[in-house]
Structures are given as C-alpha cells and as structure tokens.
Amino acid sequence: MNMIVCVKQVPDPEAPPASFKIDPATNKVVPPPGVPPVISPFDEQAVEAALRIKDAKGGKISILSLGIGLLRDVVKKPLSMGADELILLEDPAFIEGDSWSTAYALAMAIKKIGQFDIIFCGRQASDTDAGQVGSAIAEILGIPQVTVARKVEVLDGKARVEKVTADGYEVVEVNLPALITVSNELGEPRYATIKGIMSAKRKEPIVWKPADIGVEPGKIGATGRRSKMLKLFQPVREGKVEIITGENEEDAAANLARKLVEVKLL
Amino acid sequence: MADNKGIMIIAEALNSSLASISKELLGAARKLAADLGDEVSALVIGSGIAGVAAEAITFGADKVFIVDDPLLKDYRTDAWVATAEKVAKQVNPRIILAGQTTIGRDLASRLAFRLNTAVTMDCIDLTVDATSKQLMLTKPVYGGNARAIFTSDLYPQMATVRAKAMSPIAPDSARKGEVVTVAAGLDAAAIRTNVLQKVIAEVEGIKLEDASVVVSGGRGIGGPEGFKQLEELAKILKGAMGASRPPCDSGWVPETIQVGLTGKIVSPDVYIAVAISGSSQHIAGCGGSKNIIAINRDPEANIFKEARFGVVGDWKKIVPAFTAKVKELLGR
Ligand SMILES: Cc1cc2nc3c(=O)[nH]c(=O)nc-3n(C[C@H](O)[C@H](O)[C@H](O)COP(=O)(O)OP(=O)(O)OC[C@H]3O[C@@H](n4cnc5c(N)ncnc54)[C@H](O)[C@@H]3O)c2cc1C
Ligand SMILES: Nc1ncnc2c1ncn2[C@@H]1O[C@H](COP(=O)(O)O)[C@@H](O)[C@H]1O
C-alpha cells in the first residue's frame, strides 16, 4: 500500500480561549506567545489511520504539508510516529490560498509522487474548520472519496471504511485509489518512539517549489483563490454569570435548584 | 452570472419526511429570495422520497426537483454529486444551500469544485450585499474562537449552513408549488462506493437535538459511573444527556452524544454543563442554548463566561443535592 497523508501546521487549537487574539488591521491571528503550533489534530489521526494499515499490510507513507515557517519539530512528528518520508511545499507563493488553490497545489504534488493507493486528510483543519481540501483533491485527481472515517481497513484491494454518521456509522466500501478523511473517533494517535524520533532526526524533508510540481502560477496561493475573506473577528460575549452560593456545596446546589424554578427555567 | 436565477436548497429526507435542517434552509432561502426578488426551489435526491415534495412546498419551496432512483437509495458521493451537478446545470441557480450534515458536508464540498465555483462551509449567517447582490457568508473558524466573512465572484454561490442557525417559516399547507421530476440517468459502474451496513446507536428517550433541557458532562466526570447520575437528572428534567468530546473519546458514553463543533448542535432552553471547561469547540455546539448553567470546581473555567447561572464546586457533591432538590420542588 502506498499512502499519502496531508498534514497542516496550525496554531494550537486547545490553547486557552482567552489567549486567542486577532489583529484587525491584517485580519490575521496573533500567535499566543509561548504556545508552539501543532499538526492539526485530525491530521494526526489521519497519520494514525495510515500507520494502522502499514502495520497490517506493509507499505510506504509519504507526508505532505503546505505552508511557510514549518517548524521541523512539528512537521517531522509523523516521521517519528512511523511515516517514511516528508515532502514540504514550502514557498510564499503557496500560502494564503483558499481550499481550492491549496488543494490544487497538493494534488499536483501528489501527481509528482505518482504512486498511491490511499490519500488521507483530516476531516477538517482546526483553523479553517472547513473540511473541503480533501474533496477538492479527490475531484482534481478524479478519485472517489469517503469523508469522516472512524476506521479504515484494506480488504481485497478495496478500502472498507466506517464513516461517522449523526446516529452511528455506516460501513462503506470504496475502490482504490481513494481519498479518505479521518475523524477523532478513530482513536488516539500513537506516541513517537525513541527509535522513531532518532530516525526522524536524520531524515531531511524534501522541499518542492512551485516549479518542481508544474503548477500554473495563477492557480496557487492567494492568486488562485476563488473565495475572498473580507473580515476575521472575535464574537463578543455579552453574558454575565450569576454565581449561586450557599453555606456549602450541597446548599449552593439546592439554591441553584430554587433559583431555576423561581425564574421558571425548570 | 446573468443567467443564474433562484435559490436552490438541497433537501434531505429523514424517515420519509423533510429533515429539520431542510426546513431551516428553506426559511433562510425565503429570506434571501425576498431580498433578491427570486424564487426558491428544493432538490430532493433519494429513493422513494417523492412524498417529501409536498412538505418542502409547505415549508417555503416554490418548485421541487425530485430525483428518485434505486441507485440513490444510500448516500454515495459519486451518485449524488453527479445528480446534483445535472440538476444544477439544468436549473442554473444563483445560490445553492445545503445543510452542514453528514450528507451536506460531503456533497457540497465536492459539488462546488465540480461546478467550478466556491462554497463556504458551516455558515451561521447569510446576507446579500446591497450593491453587488453577492452572498456574504459568516462562518466560525479557529474552533469557534473567531468568525470570518467570505464572498466569491463565482456562481452559483454556495454554502452549507449549520443546524439551528436559521429559522423555518411557519408551515402553510395552502402554499402552491410545482413538482418537477428529473431522471437520474446514472451509470451504476461509475459509482465507486457501496454502503455495506448501517449501524445505528440506539438512544432511549428524547433525542438530544430536540430536547428542551440537556444535561452534559465533561472530562471532569471521570468515568462512566458519573454519567449515570447525569442521566438520572436528565430524565427527571424530561431532557436528554450530552457530553463533551473526552468522555466520548474515552468510551464512557456513546460517540453520538458528543456536543460541539464536530458533534451535535443543540439549542435547548436549559443546558447544564457539568465538569466541562467550555472550550470554543464545545461552545460551538451549545452556544445557541437559551440558558447555560455551569457546574465546575474551577472558578476561572471558561464555561462561566458563557453561563447565566453557575455553581463553583465539586460536581460529586453538587449534582446529587441539586437532583434531590429539583425532585422535591417539581414533585417528580
Ligand atoms: C478540531 C477540534 C474539534 C473539536 N471538537 C469538539 C467537539 O465537537 N466537542 C467538544 O466537546 N470538544 C471538541 N474538541 C475538544 C476541545 O478542544 C476540548 O479539548 C474539550 O471540549 C474539553 O472537554 P472538557 O471540557 O470535558 O475537558 P477539560 O477541558 O479537561 O475540562 C474539564 C473540566 O472539569 C472540571 N472538573 C474536574 N473535576 C471536577 C469536579 N470534581 N467537579 C467539578 N468540576 C470538575 C475542571 O475544572 C475542568 O474545567 C475539539 C478539538 C479540536 C482540536
Ligand atoms: N496547507 C496544507 N498542507 C497539507 N494538508 C492540508 C493543508 N490544508 C489542508 N490540508 C488537508 O486538508 C484537510 C482539510 O482542510 P480544510 O478543508 O481546510 O478543513 C486537512 O485536515 C489536511 O489534511
């Protein structure tokens, strides 16, 4: 099995909400000091999905990431978990795209990689919360897709995917090659091993520039956008909490019940 | 673009009736139609779903396109995208709206790229710009910490809409509309996925999304036993139980009761958050609740910024005492 996993470096989505700031002049997020970026969590689960298939069937896993200022410690994490190679599309021309121009560059890089049975993405990146890049890559490459997977196995040359639904899941069989997006229901991604960390240290990422993957310059990054972002802002919270107290916790609890009945919430 | 006319919603059927998200989409579409002087249509895809047409008209559609074919029985990306593409090219709508649901998010993202346009996912607000007449689409980003407004020059203009973000119109069974049947004309060999099995997690009692009271527990509950107490409280309040993501990930409760950005969206009258810190991703699923009640031992927890009432302390002491008092006061 040849597998490709698309991973994105993002601001840590679990940083405390109070540390989240936007610069209104640039419509950009101000990274909180001292909180390093991470790989978008669902993308780590996508790496885990690929590793489980590699464990069962063998194969090669290529990691693909587009961005600038990619911290090697961050983007090498999949290598330390057991992936085989890391390819970076690292160039200012690639960035500030929308899902379409990002997917176009990723798809062109995937064509250059050539051989693949499964492409994995996260169900959505934790910054855009869009969940579109996977579908766009599949559309550009003309391959089938299954989104929001909780389990992926390969059986008889097809992938068998448990796809999360609102009230459970369904088992979907898909012809290969295919693109599959992965959700947290898959389970915790594995930790890096010491051996993995050592071998990841020695592996240098392969860096591709626009010319290396034969993209049309007008179709990548900010120039290739189909949608424009007019504004990025933080919603204002107007609520003010009333803390119910009492002589002790039990008493406070009883006072809360009284209060909720009094204001007719219960 | 001059040729693009009308607002089309992609409807979903649930047990042979129109899904609530589709009623919300029709409500949103009627508003946009009033601003644009346009018509509203609904596209219904599936097998044995023709009965939904009348309901779509009742909830605001002027026209319903029905594509009813055995090959469309299960949602399969290849078949549904090809079908929606065919109808979209025939009808040439100015706007296409779908729900941010299992089907909508998969279908709309791929359909947009097929139609050479753009889509904005998981929108909570849609307005029409007075001069350009383009859609201005507001969607939460960064896990709900921020919002972004998007536009595009491309047509059709597309969006998926978050559950409960829009209001349906009052149903009117006297409304008239036209029903148009479109042949799917699908090639079975071009459908590259097959649904082998559907597994439904049975939840007894009131559905989480419909409950007017929700009692939710978080990581601080510490294990499955604590959720039994929350379930009892939910029952007494004639509500449903929910959870933040960690209890679902840990297998303490079924995955299907996760509330949040990637779980269920709820907007009950009362949302009782027990031992939940109030991450932006969790608030994304419950922020629309009319009243949030927080029980947490950390007075600095973010959930208190979202709550109307709160108690600071150990849930193990608070929940039993609260439950007992509620039983007494309500005589249940
Ligand atoms: C892309 C993405 C999507 C996500 N989607 C979702 C989603 O849909 N839904 C979701 O919920 N999360 C989601 N998350 C996870 C989210 O970021 C948080 O990690 C999660 O919501 C935290 O859950 P929690 O509040 O239960 O746990 P914690 O943040 O660990 O909070 C536990 C709380 O319990 C309190 N506590 C502990 N013990 C007690 C006690 N004895 N008595 C009283 N209080 C106590 C603590 O003070 C603390 O406030 C997502 C994350 C990412 C990155
Ligand atoms: N810059 C990027 N580099 C690599 N993969 C990406 C990038 N942007 C998005 N992806 C992949 O596409 C998925 C969905 O992204 P999005 O459509 O932005 O929510 C992510 O979870 C990643 O797997």
Side-chain angles (χ1 to χ4, degrees):
Chain A
M1 282 287 128
N2 288 305
M3 293 171 280
I4 298 169
V5 189
C6 298
V7 308
K8 184 179 190 184
Q9 175 179 296
V10 295
D12 186 347
E14 306 220 40
S19 69
F20 187 89
K21 297 270 167 328
I22 287 168
D23 176 2
T26 56
N27 268 344
K28 286 202 177 109
V29 172
V30 184
V35 185
V38 295
I39 286 178
S40 186
F42 297 124
D43 301 0
E44 257 189 46
Q45 262 126 355
V47 174
E48 176 62 30
L51 286 168
R52 289 182 191 174
I53 291 173
K54 187 180 164 185
D55 290 345
K57 303 257 157 180
K60 178 178 173 197
I61 301 175
S62 308
I63 305 294
L64 187 56
S65 190
L66 177 155
I68 55 164
L70 300 174
L71 300 183
R72 294 309 188 250
D73 277 354
V74 173
V75 289
K76 276 191 171 182
K77 187 168 178 196
L79 292 177
S80 63
M81 290 163 70
D84 299 281
E85 68 176 2
L86 173 64
I87 300 167
L88 303 178
L89 304 184
E90 199 176 30
D91 190 277
F94 283 130
I95 64 153
E96 301 198 354
D98 63 0
S99 43
W100 179 255
S101 60
T102 302
Y104 168 69
L106 291 169
M108 292 302 280
I110 289 167
K111 281 189 184 164
K112 176 157 170 152
I113 296 171
Q115 285 269 329
F116 63 87
D117 301 293
I118 306 179
I119 302 166
F120 284 105
C121 283
R123 64 175 287 174
Q124 64 197 59
S126 65
D127 51 357
T128 61
D129 282 325
Q132 293 175 278
V133 166
S135 297
I137 293 172
E139 179 66 17
I140 295 168
L141 298 174
I143 59 173
Q145 71 186 51
V146 182
T147 52
V148 198
R150 70 198 283 286
K151 186 172 180 189
V152 186
E153 284 175 312
V154 174
L155 277 174
D156 310 325
K158 294 186 176 193
R160 195 166 278 202
V161 184
E162 289 182 10
K163 175 184 168 73
V164 177
T165 60
D167 50 10
Y169 63 90
E170 52 192 35
V171 184
V172 180
E173 185 181 70
V174 59
N175 296 359
L176 299 181
L179 184 136
I180 298 169
T181 78
V182 176
S183 188
N184 57 289
E185 287 85 350
L186 184 101
E188 287 289 309
R190 68 194 61 189
Y191 290 111
T193 59
I194 302 285
K195 199 171 140 240
I197 294 171
M198 297 310 289
S199 100
K201 271 221 167 70
R202 286 191 301 271
K203 274 185 199 152
E204 274 316 300
I206 303 162
V207 178
W208 286 342
K209 299 285 169 184
D212 296 321
I213 54 172
V215 290
E216 293 173 41
K219 285 170 78 172
I220 56 167
T223 47
R225 292 189 71 110
R226 290 176 169 189
S227 74
K228 289 176 285 202
M229 192 178 73
L230 300 178
K231 194 175 167 193
L232 184 68
F233 62 101
Q234 282 181 272
V236 277
R237 290 206 197 86
E238 60 261 7
K240 195 153 171 12
V241 66
E242 182 180 334
I243 298 291
I244 311 291
T245 54
E247 275 166 17
N248 51 36
E249 284 158 308
E250 285 84 354
D251 190 38
N255 287 340
L256 175 67
R258 278 191 204 96
K259 184 78 187 187
L260 296 184
V261 171
E262 180 193 312
V263 299
K264 299 206 161 51
L265 287 185
L266 296 183
Chain B
M1 105 111 244
D3 304 339
N4 294 78
K5 264 207 198 72
I7 298 146
M8 173 178 279
I9 71 131
I10 299 179
E12 291 181 41
L14 205 74
N15 308 322
S16 333
S17 37
L18 192 63
S20 53
I21 179 74
S22 306
K23 297 173 187 169
E24 293 161 19
L25 290 175
L26 284 167
R30 281 256 65 101
K31 273 212 184 117
L32 297 171
D35 289 345
L36 290 163
D38 238 340
E39 208 180 47
V40 173
S41 65
L43 168 58
V44 186
I45 300 175
S47 174
I49 35 72
V52 173
E55 219 183 335
I57 292 167
T58 307
F59 278 93
D62 301 311
K63 215 180 223 176
V64 182
F65 297 93
I66 295 268
V67 193
D68 198 327
D69 191 293
L71 286 175
L72 294 166
K73 183 174 151 283
D74 298 315
Y75 174 76
R76 293 187 290 170
T77 311
D78 286 334
W80 285 56
V81 171
T83 302
E85 177 194 10
K86 179 177 174 179
V87 178
K89 286 187 170 156
Q90 192 176 314
V91 178
N92 221 4
R94 162 186 200 95
I95 294 170
I96 299 178
L97 304 179
Q100 177 75 0
T101 57
T102 302
I103 291 179
R105 57 162 77 91
D106 188 277
L107 173 67
S109 58
R110 187 127 185 192
L111 178 65
F113 301 127
R114 181 78 50 91
L115 294 174
N116 280 313
T117 186
V119 57
T120 302
M121 307 293 286
D122 202 13
C123 294
I124 54 169
D125 193 28
L126 318 170
T127 54
V128 174
D129 182 72
T131 42
S132 70
K133 303 284 180 210
Q134 284 176 357
L135 268 187
M136 313 273 283
L137 300 154
T138 306
K139 91 175 261 10
V141 288
Y142 294 94
N145 277 313
R147 288 181 185 168
I149 304 177
F150 290 97
T151 60
S152 175
D153 301 334
L154 298 172
Y155 287 81
Q157 308 226 295
M158 287 184 63
T160 66
V161 178
R162 183 176 283 193
K164 302 197 158 80
M166 306 288 154
S167 311
I169 61 167
D172 174 3
S173 52
R175 273 187 61 93
K176 291 273 174 296
E178 184 189 346
V179 180
V180 182
T181 307
V182 183
L186 288 164
D187 170 10
I191 308 171
R192 296 164 291 182
T193 58
N194 248 324
V195 178
L196 303 181
Q197 195 192 352
K198 292 189 185 186
V199 180
I200 294 179
E202 296 292 343
V203 186
E204 44 176 313
I206 304 164
K207 261 182 87 181
L208 180 54
E209 304 93 302
D210 303 336
S212 59
V213 178
V214 172
V215 182
S216 266
R219 192 188 331 249
I221 298 296
E225 305 76 31
F227 275 93
K228 296 218 176 79
Q229 294 185 43
L230 300 188
E231 198 164 18
E232 190 206 333
L233 176 58
K235 240 184 219 149
I236 290 165
L237 296 175
K238 302 196 164 70
M241 185 171 76
S244 64
R245 196 170 98 180
C248 301
D249 282 351
S250 307
W252 303 342
V253 294
E255 289 161 4
T256 47
I257 70 165
Q258 179 183 319
V259 171
L261 183 64
T262 57
K264 298 263 150 69
I265 308 285
V266 300
S267 57
D269 297 331
V270 178
Y271 186 83
I272 306 181
V274 188
I276 290 177
S277 64
S279 68
S280 59
Q281 294 91 350
H282 184 75
I283 300 300
C286 66
S289 306
K290 278 160 213 86
N291 301 279
I292 293 179
I293 320 294
I295 297 171
N296 198 302
R297 68 176 177 201
D298 173 10
E300 300 299 319
N302 193 62
I303 190 73
F304 288 118
K305 299 204 172 72
E306 307 287 338
R308 176 160 171 217
F309 297 108
V311 175
V312 178
D314 186 350
W315 72 266
K316 290 190 188 106
K317 297 214 174 96
I318 294 164
V319 168
F322 179 72
T323 305
K325 193 73 194 173
V326 165
K327 267 172 132 168
E328 179 198 316
L329 292 173
L330 300 181
R332 286 182 192 155

